[in-house]
Amino acid sequence: MKRGRQGDGRRLLIGAAVAALAFIQPGGAARAAGPSLQELMKARNLSEADVTAALKTYMPTGRFDDYYLFASGGHGGNIIVIGVPSMRILKYVAVFTPEPWQGFGYGDESDKLIESGYRHGHKLTWADTHHPALSETKGEYDGKYLFIGDKANARIAVVDLEDFVTKQIVQSNIIESNHGGTFVTPNTEYIIETSQYPTPLGGKYVPLDRFDEEYRGAMIFWKFDREKGRIVPEESFAIELPPYSQDLADAGKLVSDGFAFCNSINTERAYGGNLEGRPPMESGYSQNDMDYLHVIDWKKAEQVAKAGKTEMVNGFKVIRLPVAIQEDLLHFIPEPKSPHGVDVSPDGKDIVVAGKLDTHATVYSIDKIKKLIAEKKYEGKDAYGVPILSFQDAMRGQVEIGLGPLHTQFDNKGNAYTSVFIESTVAKWNLKDLKMIEKIPAHYNVGHICAAEGDTVSPDGKYLIMMDKWSLDRFAPVGPLLPQNFQLVDIDAEKLQLLYDMPLPLGEPHYAQMIKADKLKPIEVYKPVGMNPLSGVKDKFAVEGGKERIERQPDGVHVYMTAIRSHFKPDIVRVKEGDTVHLHITNLEQAHDATHGFALDAHNIQLSLEPGEHANVTFVADKPGVFPMYCTEFCSALHLEMAGYFLVEPKEASSAKAAK
Ligand code: CUA
């Protein structure tokens, strides 16, 4: 299939915009039959700005978008893939939660994958996906893998961008929630996950009055094996942190490579108790004028972990806080009030922190930080003995941003963009001289923002997404629960221009990353036929055409089935009440998009069999009856005929028959 025109898409669009705007001038170019553009604009009440915006986002049929946007699905527990600039939804990727279309959580291997994320022996069918992180090589997105964290249950997942399928879910079992995750180091050596709400490490019970002594945070470094495409828990480690409610994190790059940074929002060590005579969390967390930016030397920490200076906590390797201090792994720098975002500039020199309760973006200099650390120039220590560097000495400067600044992204012209939550704007400012340039209104309560490759060593400029938390008055009413709103902004235009509002009606997408479309090379079909996407190899139960069969074995009835337009073979399966049934189904197709589904009535079974894919599902046929099975993808003109019967013969009938 022909790939859409990509790189030149933008130039074409601008050309089209110019042509169209010329067209709408009085006495412009010759008009086509039907209403003129002017008449259309009048009829639809559109301004010239509206028309330019439309021309900058419109994708004619068959044309592909220039960028992929990977957004977390929030409490949908998934990832949303969106084309930019059209803002067309391309896919939902099931991650932590069952998803019927993809058959995720309805077959043996995906069931096992979801179960691997169960915690404390509890079945979990939801997650709160927050920060997606594309894999990087030398600080550039490489389009190979995508990682995502589950804030609610402190888990991390790995998605392979070859087929957009979740391959692995890991959990440290030492923390209970995360927020500063996922962020990758510049060569994806590690995936960073930082705890949010302090708890006793390892999941044991400790009363709240032991908060200062026994509650802790942690920054976890998950080792990634790029060859295998999997996290290696045995080679991963954590650094124990004081119970300061660590917030967002980022990895250093170029000159700051080797460092990781994270905020903390609760150096007060408040833990609520508004029914017990203590201040509520929100005021307890907001007493101090300064919290602590954490500066962590992960390259040194890696050596410390390798040297075995760790303790196993609930099966996970932890560098204890006193060791981290002794080994010079952890330093604090004061940061203004209740910070949220920490973002490293493309050249790696600046670390930008914005505080929810402070009107500035504070820019720290890695050169200054390194010097202070090397000279051991501390202005004091915190209650746990962590050395504190001077705010004034580590800072390069501050920019007055507005009320409630949060997150910062970058473009290719030396500009930074900071979301301003309370004010509902995005501020564009110059990184070099820390001068405010321009603000664009957001509608409204903008949280994260995402610029094209805007957190890499070479941002693209072009587009920025404002991820708005509230959307009232923007879309047709749909009852009290409203979607989120992604607003697409042209940041290459002379003046920032809002192009498009997109409702996101499934969870609260929290953060997103935008990657050039031509960096991704997804496969079209699974090869060889019989491939199991979750194991990555040809399945041992893969079925060849002509070798379909039903076998009764000691562990139950094995059904070796194939799917091809437009039948399942066998299309009649007979088992006996109480039998354990193992369905092994291979889609023999190798044609692009020739997906078959497999649904079985009343057994909660729905598989998606992409071309070449093999899937297994095991269940007990515990109720006698006649159960239709059918294909759930409209695969051909005879799709409705792609069906069969699954018959469960009653016990009595079979024993009566046997007695005869
Ligand atoms: Cu196969 Cu419909």
Side-chain angles (χ1 to χ4, degrees):
M1 212 190 208
K2 214 174 120 247
R3 189 130 173 116
R5 275 174 287 174
Q6 302 233 352
D8 58 348
R10 189 174 167 76
R11 207 169 52 237
L12 287 170
L13 275 178
I14 289 170
V18 169
L21 288 174
F23 184 60
I24 59 178
Q25 300 305 321
R31 46 179 292 188
S36 71
L37 244 169
Q38 271 173 318
E39 285 160 351
L40 276 175
M41 285 169 67
K42 201 174 164 209
R44 295 204 59 218
N45 193 21
L46 298 176
S47 67
E48 276 188 28
D50 294 334
V51 174
T52 333
L55 287 168
K56 286 178 180 178
T57 57
Y58 176 68
M59 278 289 155
T61 185
R63 182 94 56 87
F64 294 0
D65 281 296
D66 299 336
Y67 287 88
Y68 285 95
L69 180 73
F70 290 95
S72 63
H75 30 311
N78 53 9
I79 291 168
I80 310 166
V81 190
I82 299 162
V84 178
S86 76
M87 304 305 277
R88 294 179 296 193
I89 294 181
L90 303 173
K91 197 169 205 174
Y92 287 96
V93 179
V95 183
F96 296 103
T97 48
E99 201 286 319
W101 170 53
Q102 292 155 73
F104 193 76
Y106 300 91
D108 289 357
E109 284 76 22
S110 59
D111 278 353
K112 257 179 235 143
L113 182 57
I114 291 175
E115 279 171 29
S116 72
Y118 290 0
R119 301 212 54 232
H120 294 279
H122 292 142
K123 177 177 178 172
L124 298 175
T125 57
W126 82 285
D128 190 7
T129 53
H130 260 238
H131 304 98
L134 288 153
S135 58
E136 293 181 12
T137 301
K138 293 182 178 165
E140 299 271 14
Y141 297 154
D142 57 34
K144 300 288 188 215
Y145 298 97
L146 181 66
F147 310 98
I148 188 128
D150 165 21
K151 165 167 168 162
N153 307 294
R155 301 179 291 177
I156 298 290
V158 180
V159 176
D160 193 332
L161 293 177
E162 197 172 69
D163 58 358
F164 288 56
V165 170
T166 302
K167 306 287 177 170
Q168 187 184 25
I169 295 172
V170 297
Q171 49 182 318
S172 66
N173 288 319
I174 61 167
I175 60 172
E176 300 300 326
S177 61
N178 69 35
H179 193 243
T182 53
F183 295 90
V184 299
T185 55
N187 287 299
T188 322
E189 298 94 336
Y190 290 97
I191 299 135
I192 297 170
E193 177 195 15
T194 311
S195 60
Q196 178 124 79
Y197 304 112
T199 47
L201 292 191
K204 61 186 175 182
Y205 173 76
V206 175
L208 272 166
D209 58 17
R210 302 280 303 155
F211 190 90
D212 291 357
E213 296 81 8
E214 296 196 48
Y215 283 52
R216 289 292 179 269
M219 184 180 273
I220 297 168
F221 292 86
W222 290 101
K223 180 76 189 163
F224 187 62
D225 182 336
R226 187 181 280 273
E227 205 86 325
K228 294 200 176 81
R230 298 290 187 274
I231 284 170
V232 190
E234 306 75 48
E235 292 176 33
S236 307
F237 64 92
I239 300 176
E240 181 183 26
L241 300 171
Y244 293 158
S245 293
Q246 281 73 23
D247 202 43
L248 273 172
D250 201 3
K253 41 173 128 25
L254 300 171
V255 287
S256 51
D257 187 13
F259 286 95
F261 307 92
C262 85
N263 290 315
S264 58
I265 52 173
N266 183 27
T267 45
E268 296 85 349
R269 290 177 285 175
Y271 52 81
N274 50 11
L275 204 58
E276 302 172 14
R278 281 188 301 275
M281 288 266 214
E282 81 263 33
S283 66
Y285 269 48
S286 313
Q287 301 301 308
N288 295 346
D289 283 335
M290 291 287 198
D291 289 290
Y292 292 134
L293 171 65
H294 295 32
V295 180
I296 291 172
D297 188 331
W298 68 260
K299 284 209 171 147
K300 209 181 248 183
E302 182 183 46
Q303 296 312 314
V304 169
K306 276 185 184 155
K309 296 176 187 169
T310 52
E311 248 178 62
M312 293 304 275
V313 177
N314 203 13
F316 200 81
K317 228 181 273 168
V318 178
I319 300 174
R320 288 294 195 180
L321 185 51
V323 178
I325 296 167
Q326 194 192 330
E327 299 284 342
D328 241 12
L329 308 181
L330 175 63
H331 293 85
F332 289 156
I333 313 174
E335 54 182 355
K337 196 149 186 168
S338 299
H340 194 50
V342 54
D343 298 284
V344 179
S345 64
D347 60 11
K349 287 181 183 166
D350 294 318
I351 299 104
V352 182
V353 170
K356 302 190 288 282
L357 302 180
D358 180 73
T359 55
H360 299 93
T362 302
V363 182
Y364 297 88
S365 150
I366 190 65
D367 291 343
K368 294 184 175 196
I369 292 171
K370 278 183 180 170
K371 195 159 175 273
L372 292 170
I373 291 175
E375 292 171 356
K376 293 194 181 291
K377 216 175 146 195
Y378 310 141
E379 65 168 23
K381 286 183 177 179
D382 84 330
Y384 298 89
V386 180
I388 302 167
L389 312 180
S390 144
F391 174 63
Q392 289 302 336
D393 293 348
M395 183 181 59
R396 179 161 77 79
Q398 287 189 303
V399 196
E400 177 82 34
I401 298 281
L403 289 178
L406 299 182
H407 305 286
T408 301
Q409 293 260 303
F410 306 93
D411 71 10
N412 53 343
K413 299 179 189 80
N415 300 310
Y417 299 79
T418 302
S419 56
V420 199
F421 182 81
I422 299 171
E423 208 178 82
S424 288
T425 59
V426 166
K428 175 181 178 181
W429 50 281
N430 185 282
L431 199 53
K432 194 171 165 221
D433 51 22
L434 308 183
K435 288 273 185 332
M436 177 66 68
I437 299 169
E438 182 190 353
K439 276 186 188 176
I440 182 168
H443 177 279
Y444 72 95
N445 284 356
V446 54
H448 272 280
I449 50 178
C450 165
E453 310 216 346
D455 61 2
T456 68
V457 295
S458 65
D460 284 7
K462 294 192 168 77
Y463 302 111
L464 179 129
I465 311 285
M466 307 192 284
M467 305 174 73
D468 299 346
K469 305 298 183 191
W470 287 41
S471 73
L472 70 164
D473 307 333
R474 277 310 99 148
F475 307 113
V478 287
L481 179 62
L482 272 61
Q484 307 273 311
N485 184 7
F486 277 13
Q487 294 191 291
L488 176 69
V489 177
D490 180 350
I491 57 173
D492 271 4
E494 200 146 316
K495 212 171 159 339
L496 298 173
Q497 188 193 2
L498 176 65
L499 300 180
Y500 195 80
D501 278 16
M502 177 202 198
L504 264 296
L506 196 84
E508 195 229 87
H510 196 85
Y511 179 51
Q513 287 190 334
M514 201 192 306
I515 178 175
K516 264 194 213 91
D518 58 14
K519 285 188 178 176
L520 271 75
K521 305 271 184 281
I523 56 167
E524 296 189 343
V525 300
Y526 286 107
K527 280 182 182 142
V529 170
M531 176 71 83
N532 186 321
L534 294 184
S535 63
V537 292
K538 186 170 171 173
D539 199 276
K540 64 175 176 180
F541 295 111
V543 189
E544 277 172 48
K547 300 219 173 131
E548 297 88 350
R549 63 205 185 273
I550 301 174
E551 286 175 358
R552 185 167 283 277
Q553 286 171 6
D555 65 343
V557 179
H558 287 256
V559 181
Y560 295 87
M561 185 184 282
T562 57
I564 193 163
R565 278 164 289 174
S566 299
H567 57 265
F568 295 108
K569 189 177 182 182
D571 58 6
I572 296 175
V573 177
R574 292 187 184 83
V575 300
K576 294 188 171 61
E577 180 185 353
D579 275 343
T580 296
V581 181
H582 308 269
L583 287 179
H584 311 296
I585 314 178
T586 301
N587 179 354
L588 298 177
E589 309 264 5
Q590 282 287 280
H592 196 193
D593 207 8
T595 292
H596 298 290
F598 176 87
L600 177 57
D601 166 44
H603 287 78
N604 202 37
I605 289 169
Q606 148 57 21
L607 304 173
S608 175
L609 301 152
E610 280 100 78
E613 176 171 350
H614 178 88
N616 302 299
V617 59
T618 303
F619 60 99
V620 178
D622 54 355
K623 292 275 185 303
V626 176
F627 305 101
M629 46 194 197
Y630 72 97
C631 171
T632 42
E633 288 276 342
F634 212 114
C635 54
S636 71
L638 296 174
H639 152 76
L640 290 180
E641 289 80 351
M642 190 162 178
Y645 283 106
F646 181 77
L647 304 153
V648 184
E649 212 178 334
K651 262 182 190 153
E652 310 83 64
S654 32
S655 41
K657 206 165 136 193
K660 265 185 198 175

